[in-house]
Amino acid sequence: MKLRCRNIFLVLLVIIGNRVHAALPDWPQLYDTSTVPALNVQLRETDWNTILADETFDVEVPALFWANQDGPESAILVSIRRKSATPINGKVSFKIDINEYEDDDPRAQGLWHGVKKLSLENGDDVDIVSEGIAWAMHRIAVEQGIYPAGHLPGKANWATLTPYLTQGCIAEPCGPFDLGEVFLVLDPLVYLNVEQPDKSFLKNRDLWISEETWLYKQDEPALPAEIKEAGCPEEVPNSPVVNALQCAPFIAGREGGSRGKKDRNSEPSVETCDMAVVNELVDMDILLVQAAIGAFSANRDDTFGNEHNYYFLDYSAPGNCQILPDPYALEARKRLHFPWDLDASLTKVDRNVYGDLQGNRRKIKLSQTGYQRLLLEDYNNGELAFRTMYNTALLEMAGEDFMAGLFDTLDDIQLVIGDALEADPNSKISSAGSHIQNVKNFLSERANIVREQVCLDNPGLNGCAP
């Protein structure tokens, strides 16, 4: 359905539910789940059709961008492109780059409410509520002290996006950013608004140190991690931590992670990491909680489940990009992991938290990735009791306080975005109330199953009945 311009303000008023029209807050409140940014993009119709059809996911086009809460007078020039998520009835995911044209047009700027990029997710694998509640698990784990103090994973809330289409410049000469006058406004669509890990992400957390910081993204399990931000010179090809961890499971394996079948003609597998060295270089408390959240949310397509869909942050020694930091003198310089792409969450309520059970009733075996095999072990050393740390985090998530936080978040979702979910024909959700109740039922059953699995594995843990 397409809306003419004269109807757009009424539509936006309905979508934001008559909430107070105050300006949007800056980071971190920008991602408060009680805030629903009503986002708008104005761009040429030809460009809109181009990015919708783009399957390279690289084509960027210019657009004016503003939040309804700030008013159209706040519009800035940005670039927008399609992301690789599968479309839902034509609704695709988008990446909005705030500073792409900062040096080319006075309407562009470096930051918008404290962020440089926006990642708008359509919830393609399951649905937008399931992906959103998976992000909420990380937030609640911070609030309840399951994550180590001071760690702040990515944040996320819900947003609407309304495209304003123009016919482009009609009076010569036309510049590259002459977008023309609006002639058509499309229906608002609901998205999950996920914080993008980049240099601004790190600076907002006081984690960026010039000439000592590296941010990597592990996207495909079979490919090396991609450097997204590097404060060190280009002639230094990798962080010293990456160079030190050229061992399994911290280097890329086969497609599908190290669980994949071995090819008889393939090169021999790489050496397994010395876990004492890993513990010196990697913040295992953070990695294990991130893994536990992925397991609790039944997400196989994450760090532990498939060895991808995460970012990690490395440091070098002060003043020398090729020397490891001293993790004993500088505890905060250990590798930090951050989750990404949680759209495969809440898939299988009885998924095993230690790997995948495969086979039939006669013969069932546990299939594990390299991360699961190596990191879910107790190494007869109190400092390396990784499996115990993992199990303890899972038990806390299955507890009353964590579950209450999840249920409160689901109630907030229904309150702040329920009507918009039902109005969006591409959200997979026809009844917000029924859908959210189904998610609550899934989580309740999941908590019971996780508790049973953990207590069977380690019955002596606090929280397991004697």
Side-chain angles (χ1 to χ4, degrees):
M1 176 179 171
K2 299 180 180 180
L3 302 172
R4 296 297 170 184
C5 300
R6 57 188 173 87
N7 295 326
I8 188 60
F9 294 107
L10 175 61
V11 171
L12 290 178
L13 181 62
V14 171
I15 286 297
I16 64 175
N18 290 319
R19 288 184 290 275
V20 177
H21 290 253
L24 283 176
D26 290 340
W27 186 94
Q29 287 75 23
L30 176 66
Y31 293 98
D32 190 298
T33 52
S34 64
T35 299
V36 183
L39 307 177
N40 309 278
V41 286
Q42 177 180 325
L43 69 167
R44 305 178 188 103
E45 183 181 32
T46 53
D47 286 345
W48 174 251
N49 291 332
T50 294
I51 58 174
L52 289 184
D54 174 38
E55 295 187 355
T56 69
F57 315 118
D58 292 328
V59 176
E60 296 179 298
V61 300
L64 287 176
F65 170 73
W66 72 97
N68 197 54
Q69 290 90 335
D70 296 333
E73 66 277 5
S74 68
I76 61 174
L77 187 69
V78 301
S79 73
I80 182 171
R81 66 170 174 86
R82 176 183 167 183
K83 295 185 64 181
S84 60
T86 303
I88 302 173
N89 295 329
K91 181 171 80 170
V92 304
S93 296
F94 291 111
K95 182 66 62 65
I96 295 175
D97 197 331
I98 302 299
N99 70 334
E100 177 68 21
Y101 305 120
E102 187 179 6
D103 297 328
D104 303 319
D105 191 283
R107 295 170 295 175
Q109 59 188 44
L111 292 174
W112 180 82
H113 291 290
V115 300
K116 191 184 295 182
K117 292 182 176 66
L118 281 85
S119 188
L120 302 181
E121 311 293 339
N122 66 357
D124 64 320
D125 267 16
V126 182
D127 61 71
I128 196 171
V129 172
S130 297
E131 186 173 358
I133 204 67
W135 281 105
M137 290 181 188
H138 291 277
R139 171 180 56 80
I140 296 168
V142 169
E143 295 169 352
Q144 297 188 4
I146 301 174
Y147 268 118
H151 183 65
L152 189 60
K155 302 172 74 65
N157 62 1
W158 287 266
T160 61
L161 180 70
T162 302
Y164 287 65
L165 302 185
T166 79
Q167 292 180 324
C169 175
I170 58 175
E172 297 291 345
C174 293
F177 306 123
D178 291 337
L179 302 181
E181 298 295 325
V182 173
F183 79 99
L184 187 65
V185 182
L186 305 185
D187 281 334
L189 300 173
V190 181
Y191 284 94
L192 189 68
N193 177 33
V194 179
E195 184 181 10
Q196 175 71 43
D198 57 12
K199 189 181 293 186
S200 296
F201 177 101
L202 301 179
K203 287 182 175 180
N204 282 334
R205 290 160 172 75
D206 294 324
L207 293 175
W208 178 262
I209 302 175
S210 181
E211 299 183 6
E212 299 174 25
T213 310
W214 308 73
L215 181 67
Y216 286 84
K217 181 182 181 183
Q218 184 62 61
D219 196 359
E220 295 296 335
L223 300 176
E226 178 187 1
I227 297 175
K228 305 302 290 188
E229 303 285 351
C232 295
E234 292 183 2
E235 59 265 24
V236 181
N238 262 318
S239 76
V241 181
V242 166
N243 291 336
L245 294 179
Q246 289 293 306
C247 49
F250 290 97
I251 60 173
R254 292 169 298 280
E255 182 68 32
S258 60
R259 190 198 330 255
K261 295 180 180 179
K262 294 182 179 179
D263 184 342
R264 292 181 180 178
N265 299 319
S266 64
E267 293 294 324
S269 59
V270 297
E271 180 182 356
T272 299
C273 287
D274 181 330
M275 293 311 297
V277 174
V278 170
N279 198 47
E280 290 181 11
L281 299 178
V282 178
D283 193 315
M284 290 299 297
D285 290 340
I286 288 173
L287 178 56
L288 288 166
V289 171
Q290 183 174 315
I293 293 174
F296 185 85
S297 65
N299 183 358
R300 182 183 180 274
D301 199 29
D302 67 349
T303 312
F304 266 39
N306 204 20
E307 301 184 3
H308 75 145
N309 284 342
Y310 62 90
Y311 285 78
F312 61 88
L313 176 66
D314 283 345
Y315 292 100
S316 60
N320 193 323
C321 290
Q322 302 184 62
I323 297 179
L324 285 169
D326 183 344
Y328 296 103
L330 299 166
E331 182 71 17
R333 297 296 187 88
K334 287 188 175 185
R335 173 176 289 183
L336 304 179
H337 284 80
F338 298 95
W340 188 246
D341 197 8
L342 307 185
D343 61 346
S345 301
L346 276 59
T347 53
K348 186 179 179 184
V349 73
D350 60 349
R351 184 176 298 283
N352 192 282
V353 298
Y354 305 106
D356 273 354
L357 294 177
Q358 298 181 347
N360 52 38
R361 283 182 291 180
R362 288 187 174 184
K363 186 177 181 181
I364 296 178
K365 66 177 183 177
L366 185 69
S367 175
Q368 293 180 306
T369 66
Y371 275 89
Q372 291 166 332
R373 281 195 303 271
L374 194 64
L375 304 184
L376 298 186
E377 295 291 340
D378 287 332
Y379 288 89
N380 299 317
N381 180 328
E383 293 183 357
L384 302 181
F386 297 142
R387 194 181 189 98
T388 299
M389 294 162 61
Y390 176 77
N391 280 339
T392 299
L394 283 168
L395 275 184
E396 290 186 77
M397 293 170 202
E400 292 183 4
D401 290 345
F402 191 82
M403 293 300 295
L406 291 179
F407 278 38
D408 287 345
T409 300
L410 286 164
D411 290 339
D412 288 343
I413 292 172
Q414 185 167 355
L415 178 66
V416 303
I417 203 71
D419 290 345
L421 286 171
E422 293 177 355
D424 180 354
N426 305 311
S427 70
K428 301 183 182 179
I429 298 168
S430 57
S431 169
S434 296
H435 186 80
I436 286 170
Q437 185 58 53
N438 288 338
V439 174
K440 288 181 177 180
N441 294 342
F442 181 102
L443 292 171
S444 294
E445 185 177 358
R446 181 65 180 158
N448 290 332
I449 289 172
V450 167
R451 189 182 300 107
E452 290 173 2
Q453 291 179 359
V454 170
C455 291
L456 181 64
D457 184 75
N458 193 342
L461 282 179
N462 184 27
C464 292

